């Protein structure tokens, strides 16, 4: 059984003006997603600015989210690191605390070989007793998980169950599904490719778009699962202009501003990320209004 099916939100992390985590606002965001159609909460991923969190902040944020969700939705904790020891320790702690799943990005900067990736993911899976979704996003990490590597890990390691595929390479995704005979929990990592990946057998999406349009992102998946392919496709295409603006600058700069524009002030970004430009903000506002998202 998959950790979740449908649209999981790669949730933003709200900060206070001093850049400490704003847990009151995070609590509000959690309740918002639990009541607006989101199918899972993915905490401390790229969109959550995990790269600028201390390990203490990281695991406290995971624990807070699990406590506040209270089983209403599955919680997937981002626990990846470019240091295998760190990934092991964070993954063990998140699993022990009750995370429904773990999302592990490929080690960044190190640029591991495929053998290194196998060793890395196997080491984490051996210690952390929770289902693991590998996260392939070479545009950020400089390290691609090749389809044969994905297939080997899913076949040989019991609790490695899935992959979040953000390569943008549909041929690579198809090869993964071929080599695994479809026996893998595949999630789209790109909001503009939800339907294409669902057509290849994906279980859903780990989504930035869900931060501002949770019901619509859920519906893209749900309509597809119910056989309304035309309806799913229509929603996907209608969302494309908004998705474009959510990535007009590096994620999560635009989406964090978008959530604030909806009336849920998420505070500043942590450097080296900086605020969205005025030009891009205007285009983002127009895309949100055109999509029917109410602004504060």
């Amino acid at each position: 059984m998959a950790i979740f099916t449908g649209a999981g939100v790669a949730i933003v992390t709200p900060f206070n003006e001093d850049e400490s985590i704003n847990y009151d606002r995070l609590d509000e965001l959690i309740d918002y997603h639990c009541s607006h159609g989101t199918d899972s909460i993915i905490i401390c991923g790229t969109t959550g600015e995990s790269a600028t969190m201390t390990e203490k902040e990281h695991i406290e944020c995971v624990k807070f989210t699990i406590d506040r969700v209270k089983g209403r939705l599955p919680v997937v904790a981002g626990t990846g690191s470019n240091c295998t020891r760190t990934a092991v320790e964070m993954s063990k702690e998140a699993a022990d605390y009750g995370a429904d799943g773990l999302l592990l990005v490929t080690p960044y900067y190190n640029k591991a070989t495929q053998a290194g990736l196998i060793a890395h993911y196997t080491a984490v899976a051996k210690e952390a007793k929770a289902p693991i979704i590998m996260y392939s996003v070479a545009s950020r990490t400089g390290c691609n998980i090749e389809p044969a590597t994905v297939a080997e890990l899913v076949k040989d390691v019991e609790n490695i169950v899935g992959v979040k595929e953000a390569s943008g390479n549909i041929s690579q995704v198809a090869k993964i599904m071929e080599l695994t005979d479809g026996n893998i929990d595949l999630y789209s990592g790109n909001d503009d490719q939800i339907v294409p990946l669902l057509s290849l057998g994906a279980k859903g999406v780990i989504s930035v778009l869900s931060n501002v349009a949770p019901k619509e992102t859920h519906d893209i998946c749900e309509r597809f699962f119910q056989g309304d392919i035309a309806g799913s496709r229509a929603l996907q295409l209608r969302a494309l202009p908004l998705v474009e603006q959510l990535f007009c600058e590096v994620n999560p700069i635009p989406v964090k501003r978008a959530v604030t524009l909806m009336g849920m002030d998420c505070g500043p970004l942590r450097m080296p990320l900086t605020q969205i430009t005025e030009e891009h903000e205007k285009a983002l506002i127009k895309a949100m209004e055109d999509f029917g998202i109410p602004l504060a």
Side-chain angles (χ1 to χ4, degrees), residues 62-70 97:
V62 168
K63 288 178 177 178
F64 178 87
T65 302
I66 294 168
D67 283 343
R68 292 300 302 134
V69 169
K70 295 179 181 176
Y97 204 78

Side-chain angles (χ1 to χ4, degrees), residues 8-60:
V9 63
I11 197 168
V12 298
T13 302
F15 295 130
N16 296 303
E17 286 307 310
D18 64 1
E19 296 189 5
S20 61
I21 296 173
N22 185 338
Y23 284 106
D24 288 339
R25 183 49 46 83
L26 180 58
D27 195 15
E28 292 176 22
L29 291 175
I30 289 168
D31 281 342
Y32 173 78
H33 284 288
C34 286
S35 62
H36 280 76
T38 297
D39 296 297
S40 176
I41 292 177
I42 293 81
I43 187 72
C44 292
T46 304
T47 311
E49 296 178 75
S50 59
T52 54
M53 288 184 182
T54 66
E55 290 175 34
K56 182 174 183 291
E57 285 178 318
H58 195 131
I59 204 64
E60 285 178 352

Side-chain angles (χ1 to χ4, degrees), residues 54-131:
T54 66
E55 290 175 34
K56 182 174 183 291
E57 285 178 318
H58 195 131
I59 204 64
E60 285 178 352
C61 197
V62 168
K63 288 178 177 178
F64 178 87
T65 302
I66 294 168
D67 283 343
R68 292 300 302 134
V69 169
K70 295 179 181 176
R72 288 176 287 175
L73 298 175
V75 175
V76 178
T79 53
S81 173
N82 70 326
C83 172
T84 301
R85 289 193 307 274
T86 301
V88 166
E89 291 307 313
M90 286 201 300
S91 297
K92 283 173 61 179
E93 195 162 357
D96 289 346
Y97 204 78
D100 296 285
L102 308 172
L103 180 68
L104 275 84
V105 70
T106 53
Y108 36 88
Y109 189 76
N110 310 61
K111 298 184 78 172
T113 64
Q114 297 302 300
L117 291 177
I118 290 170
H120 172 81
Y121 280 111
T122 302
V124 177
K126 181 180 178 182
E127 298 290 336
K129 305 306 180 185

Side-chain angles (χ1 to χ4, degrees), residues 264-285:
M264 297 178 282
D265 189 354
C266 290
L269 296 137
R270 284 184 174 177
M271 288 181 67
L273 299 184
T274 54
Q275 293 298 326
I276 191 170
T277 66
E278 184 178 346
E279 178 186 359
H280 284 151
E281 181 171 338
K282 287 179 180 177
L284 174 62
I285 289 171

Side-chain angles (χ1 to χ4, degrees), residues 192-200 220 224 229 232-233 236:
D192 60 350
Q193 295 183 342
I194 303 171
V195 171
L197 265 67
L198 291 176
S199 75
L200 289 169
I220 290 172
F224 191 97
I229 310 303
S232 175
R233 181 175 63 243
Q236 169 81 91

